Amino acid sequence: MAVTDEIRDALGAPELQGLWAAAREALSSSKPTFRLELPDDATRTAVGELYGRPMWGEGTRISVSKLDEALQNRFGVGLSQVVEALHGSVAVAEPAAESSDELLPVLDEHGLAGASWAVPWLRWMRQYGRIGEAELTGITHAGARVLTAMSLTEPPRSWTSRAALAGRIGFPHSLDDGTALSRVVLKAAALAQGVESPGNERDRRALWERCGVAPDAVSATVLTWALPVAGDDAWSAGVRARTELGLPAHLTHLDLDAAPSRLVADGAAIAVCEHPRLLEAAVQEGLRHPVICLSGMPSTAARELLERLTADGAVLHVHADFDWPGIAAALTAQRHGAIPWRMSADDYRTALDRAAQDRTDLPNLIGAPVPTPWDPQLADLMSNTARAIEEEQTLHPLLEDLRNGL
């Protein structure tokens, strides 16, 4: 059977015809996204299964690059090949001459002209960016300067606030929500990341953070206790003073920006937990073992602190809930250098036995399983047992470790 016939058999369902027609139009006009109507449940189901996310309501916006990636992953063919097999060849619009002549050299000055998202971004700016012709060159320059400072292809290791990033190009408020520059920069970031353009405040914040930009320098915090800061500067003295007062410290990106380049001595052992209850108990008992609390999924401030401590040579030990969000939080901390601590299958089994002995009610384990690469048996055991164990229920052995030193 010819490849074209195989594509028609696999993807020619009536429920998908609207998708292919809209995708063909988007390809022919070089649009990065398109609006798709979802008239019934059958269409929503078929499109959702293909695209990789549930579909709701009567319509949705589809990313051309994401649809192409889904097809490549599942069927080994790209969107253009599918559309050609189902609807005939696609006449793709050529880039506007002015984009090639005027704006690509602007991006080339910043080393961005060869990026896969560059030409679609320039087309989008002309067609949908609401940028006046006289302003295009200037905003392309400004956008390129911002984009070169962002993590567009690799996960970020540090975060810069929007205000600080805008300040680098001399306009402190130019990346505030609603500005033309923030709009075009976020569009480029969405294209580079292969995600849909953000449509609300939450999605905009997530995209900024995904690219190494904190929406501000003060709202994201990380809760710490007894950090063994090694400097003799005023910042380090301030952290030590809070410890002497029996007070934890909430650190923001602004705090971390003001901190000395080196925070702790090589080999410092630091506990990382998910819930504030463990840190609170350590404070109440007067345990001076350093603790960092993630408070759920690590904030950008927490991730930056973990990254800096690991670079200093600290040894981080992370513990979290035995549930899927807790495993995800531990995985994130592990990517920043932390070692799982009392997070093995045996530790989970011991906690289950203790709960049964104490007649403690355990919540059901819900959500999609998350792998536990440090101990693959843990994820299997959690899935089979289907019970979650909160960090607070393992408090005693964790505190004992803090008393004795990790």
Side-chain angles (χ1 to χ4, degrees):
M1 183 184 293
V3 172
T4 298
D5 293 333
E6 293 178 353
I7 292 173
R8 287 173 180 160
D9 289 344
L11 299 171
E15 295 82 3
L16 294 174
Q17 291 308 304
L19 174 67
W20 306 131
R24 186 175 190 272
E25 182 179 347
L27 287 173
S28 66
S29 57
S30 300
K31 293 180 180 179
T33 66
F34 59 89
R35 172 77 179 176
L36 178 65
E37 299 302 319
L38 302 170
D40 50 51
D41 288 339
T43 301
R44 283 187 281 271
T45 299
V47 173
E49 289 178 351
L50 179 65
Y51 195 58
R53 67 168 171 82
M55 296 289 166
W56 311 99
E58 298 181 354
T60 189
R61 184 153 291 277
I62 299 293
S63 164
V64 170
S65 61
K66 186 173 179 180
L67 179 58
D68 180 76
E69 181 181 359
L71 290 167
Q72 293 280 4
N73 291 340
R74 290 190 59 187
F75 301 100
V77 294
L79 178 58
S80 296
Q81 188 175 356
V82 170
V83 170
E84 185 172 348
L86 296 173
H87 286 278
S89 61
V90 179
V92 179
E94 292 296 323
E98 58 267 34
S99 293
S100 298
D101 295 343
E102 298 174 13
L103 298 184
L104 272 177
V106 172
L107 292 185
D108 195 39
E109 291 181 32
H110 301 274
L112 298 175
S116 60
W117 51 266
V119 170
W121 181 53
L122 295 179
R123 292 179 191 149
W124 176 87
M125 277 206 297
R126 288 186 178 277
Q127 295 176 10
Y128 308 108
R130 308 197 305 278
I131 308 298
E133 188 69 29
E135 301 170 310
L136 272 172
T137 299
I139 203 163
T140 303
H141 265 299
R145 290 174 65 188
V146 172
L147 290 163
T148 55
M150 295 169 64
S151 298
L152 296 177
T153 58
E154 298 293 331
R157 295 293 182 180
S158 61
W159 283 261
T160 302
S161 74
R162 275 187 303 165
L165 188 57
R168 294 182 186 179
I169 61 172
F171 304 100
H173 298 289
S174 59
L175 291 175
D176 289 355
D177 267 346
T179 62
L181 185 59
S182 70
R183 185 170 66 249
V184 300
V185 166
L186 282 175
K187 182 61 183 181
L191 290 169
Q193 294 279 340
V195 299
E196 295 183 21
S197 297
N200 54 52
E201 171 63 24
R202 182 188 64 185
D203 291 344
R204 287 192 292 272
R205 184 182 187 94
L207 184 55
W208 280 123
E209 291 180 350
R210 182 170 176 164
C211 295
V213 181
D216 58 75
V218 294
S219 61
T221 65
V222 54
L223 177 61
T224 68
W225 163 244
L227 277 185
V229 290
D232 56 5
D233 56 288
W235 190 94
S236 301
V239 173
R240 286 192 294 268
R242 289 193 65 84
T243 302
E244 292 302 320
L245 291 170
L247 299 174
H250 287 267
L251 302 180
T252 67
H253 283 291
L254 201 60
D255 290 296
L256 295 176
D257 288 344
S261 58
R262 185 176 187 86
L263 296 176
V264 300
D266 186 36
I270 299 175
V272 180
C273 64
E274 183 182 358
H275 279 281
R277 181 69 187 96
L278 177 61
L279 186 147
E280 179 188 46
V283 174
Q284 289 173 335
E285 293 194 19
L287 303 179
R288 291 300 180 92
H289 196 292
V291 180
I292 295 170
C293 179
L294 302 179
S295 301
M297 280 300 292
S299 67
T300 54
R303 293 171 65 183
E304 180 162 356
L305 177 60
L306 298 182
E307 189 72 25
R308 290 186 60 175
L309 291 171
T310 298
D312 286 348
V315 182
L316 309 178
H317 304 262
V318 62
H319 186 278
D321 286 346
F322 284 109
D323 61 13
W324 301 129
I327 297 299
L331 270 174
T332 300
Q334 188 183 36
R335 294 189 192 104
H336 292 278
I339 304 165
W341 160 41
R342 288 191 180 270
M343 290 288 289
S344 69
D346 287 341
D347 293 315
Y348 177 69
R349 190 179 292 107
T350 298
L352 287 173
D353 293 342
R354 186 181 302 112
Q357 181 179 349
D358 296 341
R359 298 184 180 180
T360 301
D361 292 332
L362 297 177
N364 292 328
L365 185 63
I366 59 175
V370 178
T372 53
W374 61 86
D375 185 351
Q377 291 183 2
L378 172 59
D380 292 340
L381 183 58
M382 289 173 62
S383 296
N384 292 333
T385 307
R387 288 291 183 270
I389 298 175
E390 297 177 354
E391 192 169 48
E392 189 170 343
Q393 293 164 334
T394 62
L395 204 60
H396 294 299
L398 298 176
L399 287 171
E400 191 61 25
D401 287 346
L402 297 184
R403 291 187 195 96
N404 296 329
L406 288 173

